[in-house]
């Protein structure tokens, strides 16, 4: 199945970043979902998380509405909600939380279904060359977080039981050193 390559997330003229001082991805995911429920965003927009390193490590969120008109409405709502809004994205590798089809990637789907119902451009499997066969099943755990890579939204997966795949990022990771 051949699909058109989308404009890289950081090159779209309609990107806003919000730094709410968040320290973890779960809180950033929650903020994006909360904002999506309150803002005038269409299904074709994107909401991503970005890790900011340096003296004050944190997670910021970016929103990419579909149009310039939508961008103005989103910016106005964010400012009215008390957020400081910055033009553009902080980097080229946003981790997508809000994207077309994210809400239907539940249960077990074939790779072909994932690509046809969502904004994801490509599925890759860790440690392998090429792409998985379209009929291979992906167990989503209702947590699918693709990354922007060279202008494509790419879902990294890993092999799982029974010849299936699972997203590389798990919904509830065990914190480092959790047992001591």
């Amino acid at each position: 199945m051949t699909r058109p390559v989308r404009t890289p997330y950081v090159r779209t003229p309609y990107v806003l970043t919000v730094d709410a001082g968040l320290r973890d991805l779960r809180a950033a995911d929650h903020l994006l979902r909360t904002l999506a429920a309150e803002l005038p965003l269409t299904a074709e927009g994107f909401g991503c998380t970005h890790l900011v390193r340096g003296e004050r490590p944190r997670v910021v969120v970016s929103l990419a509405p579909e149009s310039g008109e939508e961008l103005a409405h989103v910016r106005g709502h964010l400012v009215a909600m008390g957020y400081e809004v910055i033009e553009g994205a902080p980097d080229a590798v946003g981790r997508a939380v809000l994207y077309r089809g994210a809400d239907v990637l539940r249960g077990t789907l074939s790779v072909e279904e994932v690509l046809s119902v969502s904004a994801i451009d490509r599925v890759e499997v860790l440690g392998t060359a090429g792409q998985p066969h379209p009929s291979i099943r992906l167990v989503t755990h209702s947590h699918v977080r693709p990354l922007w890579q060279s202008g494509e939204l790419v879902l990294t997966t890993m092999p799982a039981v029974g010849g299936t795949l699972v997203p590389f990022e798990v919904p509830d990771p065990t914190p480092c050193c959790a047992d001591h």
Side-chain angles (χ1 to χ4, degrees), residues 72-168:
H73 290 295
V74 169
R75 180 188 299 115
H77 278 75
L78 288 168
V79 169
M81 295 164 80
Y83 290 106
E84 183 177 335
V85 179
I86 303 163
E87 292 282 331
D91 58 38
V93 289
R95 172 184 162 273
V97 175
L98 305 174
Y99 53 92
R100 182 180 48 79
D103 57 337
V104 297
L105 297 179
R106 306 266 186 260
T108 302
L109 305 164
S110 70
V111 168
E112 182 175 34
E113 288 171 314
V114 168
L115 296 174
S116 69
V117 301
S118 74
I120 296 171
D121 293 302
R122 184 166 45 92
V123 174
E124 63 181 28
V125 182
L126 281 177
T128 65
Q131 296 188 23
H133 191 275
S135 66
I136 291 180
R137 308 297 285 171
L138 173 72
V139 181
T140 69
H141 300 292
S142 300
H143 188 85
V144 180
R145 302 294 189 262
L147 297 174
W148 284 103
Q149 296 178 12
S150 302
E152 290 184 303
L153 199 53
V154 179
L155 177 63
T156 302
T157 64
M158 55 190 176
V161 175
T164 63
L165 298 173
V166 293
F168 177 70

Side-chain angles (χ1 to χ4, degrees), residues 6 9 12 14-15 32 36 40-48 62-67 70-71 74 96-102 118-119 148 153:
R6 285 181 245 307
Y9 184 62
T12 180
Y14 313 118
V15 181
L32 280 170
L41 292 171
T42 62
E44 292 299 315
F46 292 92
C48 294
S62 63
L63 296 162
E66 187 177 11
S67 69
E70 190 177 337
L71 179 85
V74 169
V97 175
L98 305 174
Y99 53 92
R100 182 180 48 79
S118 74
W148 284 103
L153 199 53

